[in-house]
Amino acid sequence: MSKITTIKGFADLYAPESTLYTFMEDAARRVFGAYGYGELRIPIMEYTELFCRSIGTETDVVQKEMYTFPDRKGRSLTLRPEATAGIVRSYVEHTCHAREEVSKFFCFGPMFRYERPQKGRMRQFHQIDCECLGAHEPQADAEVLLMLMHFLREIGLTELRPELNTLGCAACRPAFRKQLSDFLRGVDPACLCENCRRRLDTNPMRVLDCKVPSCQEHTAGAPKILDHVCPDCNEHFTVVRNILDQRGVPYTLNPRLVRGLDYYMRTTFEVVSTSIGAQGSVAGGGRYDGLVNLLGGPETPAIGFACGMERLALMLADKPPSATDIRPDFYIAVLDPEATNTALMAAQTMREAKLAGELSYTAKSLKSQLRQASRLNADYCLLMGKDELTAQNIIVKHMDTGEQVTIPLASLGDWAEIWHDDKLQRQRKGSY
């Protein structure tokens, strides 16, 4: 019988790689919670119409990349290619706007796009997503950016830089799009890639965002939207930039940073890295004041972002283990078959005292079990043999110093609590 393997573009994540994802999720809950964001869990599957409306039927995502199929009643369903549409659908469906002036949500989980798998980009990938709905002020834009950079610093990534642009609004963008279209008509179509030739008529602003070198070269002189925004949009963007300047957050203005759909407006941004190859964007977002209305809700301003967890994990993989991994507190070595159950009870006592560790399920030699404790990088190795079982004691050996002490099993719980408290004190002092 043939072996069943994973689907191309999908991956199994074992520790320590899976530990990176838990580490990022824990940091997200901690940081985003400090800004008033609550965790929202949305389905990984939605009606296809949701993404056709929110992403746009002319986009590559809808036309080429979505996993779409009929259910048993013939309704078209799609595995989510991104999270914003589902969050906004939930916001509208549950009339969150009627309960609170501003709603703040974050979520994380798998997304699905049929693309050519490559480093940092899989067909099942993971994102962290944050959305702030109900705030139109530029201070909300700045806070979202500050929160994103705070999160990235919290997980140990300090050499990333945001790129910013403004997309104007419904009042000033049409004139810019006409001027851009006039410019692009003067470019030889043979110098543009197939996607950009298609976008000349359907979505000219997306030509600016193309990463193909020949397209960038022949559109280098394209008009910049920042030179054509109305006074209100200019003031909005100025306030955002002033707040970032005041906080000392460095950024780059990128006039080629655009979004292709009309509901996007004003502030747009990406956070980029030069250390993970051509696909250097690790996070991106912006203001999308028209999406809630497009999905059946009231006119509602909104801004948000998404982080690609695979790309963050690529950078975190080079960080010291202490930043992303947990050192086990103990390993219990069983030296006599009769001591197995007693060792298990000792392990449970220490785990209930909030210590972490493992034990051997069968009796083995002392040498092999000390080697296992060393491989796990355990702080202590506890020894349980025939003599210890008879005396109802356990030997505790410090793996770094070699020092050891004998503890009565009846006192192990109290000793473990003291051990845990001492561990916390050392962590606070930065010496653990």
Side-chain angles (χ1 to χ4, degrees):
M1 186 176 294
S2 61
K3 181 173 65 175
I4 299 175
T5 63
T6 56
I7 303 168
K8 182 179 180 180
F10 292 66
D12 301 311
L13 297 177
Y14 287 90
E17 187 177 6
S18 60
T19 307
L20 295 175
Y21 288 75
T22 303
F23 171 72
M24 287 186 278
E25 291 167 1
D26 289 345
R29 290 189 175 99
R30 186 168 60 251
V31 173
F32 302 152
Y35 289 76
Y37 284 71
E39 185 173 354
L40 174 63
R41 299 185 179 230
I42 55 173
I44 64 169
M45 190 186 304
E46 303 271 5
Y47 288 118
T48 304
E49 182 186 2
L50 173 67
F51 303 114
C52 290
R53 278 206 229 171
S54 62
I55 300 174
T57 55
E58 297 298 322
T59 61
D60 288 345
V61 174
V62 171
Q63 291 188 350
K64 302 177 182 179
E65 298 173 5
M66 294 201 313
Y67 283 88
T68 297
F69 49 88
D71 69 3
R72 293 189 176 185
K73 292 186 177 181
R75 296 169 296 196
S76 182
L77 307 180
T78 295
L79 295 176
R80 63 186 184 192
E82 54 91 35
T84 302
I87 290 176
V88 174
R89 187 268 312 149
S90 180
Y91 174 85
V92 172
E93 182 176 352
H94 298 283
T95 60
C96 296
H97 59 88
R99 299 198 306 267
E100 53 193 4
E101 183 178 353
V102 177
S103 298
K104 298 178 177 180
F105 306 110
F106 73 89
C107 73
F108 32 70
M111 314 292 161
F112 305 86
R113 293 189 188 186
Y114 189 86
E115 299 180 281
R116 182 172 63 86
Q118 55 185 285
K119 187 178 182 181
R121 175 186 285 179
M122 300 292 285
R123 289 174 176 171
Q124 177 180 302
F125 58 100
H126 300 79
Q127 283 187 343
I128 297 173
D129 192 277
C130 286
E131 311 295 345
C132 175
L133 301 109
H136 63 82
E137 297 85 357
Q139 288 79 9
D141 301 28
E143 184 183 66
V144 163
L145 269 161
L146 291 173
M147 182 176 73
L148 171 57
M149 300 311 294
H150 182 177
F151 165 71
L152 294 172
R153 288 195 307 273
E154 186 75 6
I155 62 175
L157 302 177
T158 58
E159 298 180 359
L160 300 174
R161 180 182 291 263
E163 295 184 350
L164 271 63
N165 196 19
T166 181
L167 302 179
C169 65
C172 57
R173 190 160 58 217
F176 169 74
R177 289 186 61 163
K178 183 180 185 307
Q179 188 170 10
L180 177 62
S181 295
D182 291 343
F183 169 85
L184 293 175
R185 277 195 290 269
V187 176
D188 183 356
C191 299
L192 302 177
C193 69
E194 180 182 350
N195 285 336
C196 285
R197 288 196 295 270
R198 187 180 72 250
R199 291 164 178 163
L200 289 175
D201 295 322
T202 61
N203 205 339
M205 288 184 66
R206 287 298 310 279
V207 176
L208 297 177
D209 201 32
C210 183
K211 302 301 187 292
V212 176
S214 62
C215 294
Q216 292 186 340
E217 177 185 351
H218 289 88
T219 60
K224 297 177 175 60
I225 192 169
L226 187 56
D227 297 332
H228 298 82
V229 295
C230 64
D232 287 346
C233 288
N234 185 62
E235 173 64 18
H236 187 103
F237 196 46
T238 298
V239 172
V240 174
R241 293 171 59 189
N242 285 344
I243 292 173
L244 296 180
D245 291 338
Q246 183 178 353
R247 194 62 190 173
V249 177
Y251 59 86
T252 302
L253 293 179
N254 182 359
R256 302 183 73 93
L257 182 57
V258 298
R259 300 287 184 257
L261 299 173
D262 288 340
Y263 61 74
Y264 288 108
M265 61 180 295
R266 295 188 170 171
T267 308
T268 188
F269 57 88
E270 286 188 357
V271 178
V272 298
S273 166
T274 58
S275 66
I276 56 173
Q279 298 295 332
S281 176
V282 299
R287 179 164 285 280
Y288 54 94
D289 288 0
L291 181 57
V292 176
N293 183 250
L294 181 66
L295 296 182
E299 293 286 351
T300 305
I303 184 169
F305 66 81
C307 295
M309 297 180 75
E310 275 76 7
R311 296 180 186 178
L312 294 178
L314 285 175
M315 291 180 284
L316 288 173
D318 295 329
K319 295 292 175 183
S322 61
T324 57
D325 206 356
I326 299 174
R327 182 179 185 181
D329 296 302
F330 67 87
Y331 177 79
I332 300 184
V334 179
L335 307 176
D336 184 90
E338 298 296 323
T340 304
N341 288 352
T342 302
L344 178 61
M345 294 301 103
Q348 187 66 17
T349 295
M350 289 190 291
R351 288 163 179 161
E352 290 177 357
K354 301 181 180 178
L355 297 172
E358 299 182 33
L359 77 155
S360 173
Y361 297 120
T362 58
K364 298 178 182 178
S365 70
L366 175 61
K367 183 178 179 180
S368 68
Q369 297 199 66
L370 286 175
R371 188 162 52 241
Q372 175 67 0
S374 179
R375 188 186 71 81
L376 292 172
N377 196 28
D379 203 0
Y380 288 86
C381 183
L382 283 71
L383 310 176
M384 173 61 70
K386 185 174 184 178
D387 291 343
E388 288 73 37
L389 180 63
T390 301
Q392 287 295 287
N393 291 331
I394 193 165
I395 297 174
V396 181
K397 179 182 180 70
H398 194 280
M399 292 298 293
D400 291 340
T401 66
E403 296 178 359
Q404 63 184 47
V405 62
T406 300
I407 304 292
L409 286 174
S411 303
L412 184 61
D414 295 334
W415 189 84
E417 289 181 4
I418 295 172
W419 176 2
H420 176 261
D421 292 343
D422 180 62
K423 171 186 169 182
L424 290 180
Q425 288 180 5
R426 285 182 285 143
Q427 285 177 329
R428 294 189 188 105
K429 293 177 181 178
S431 61
Y432 186 74

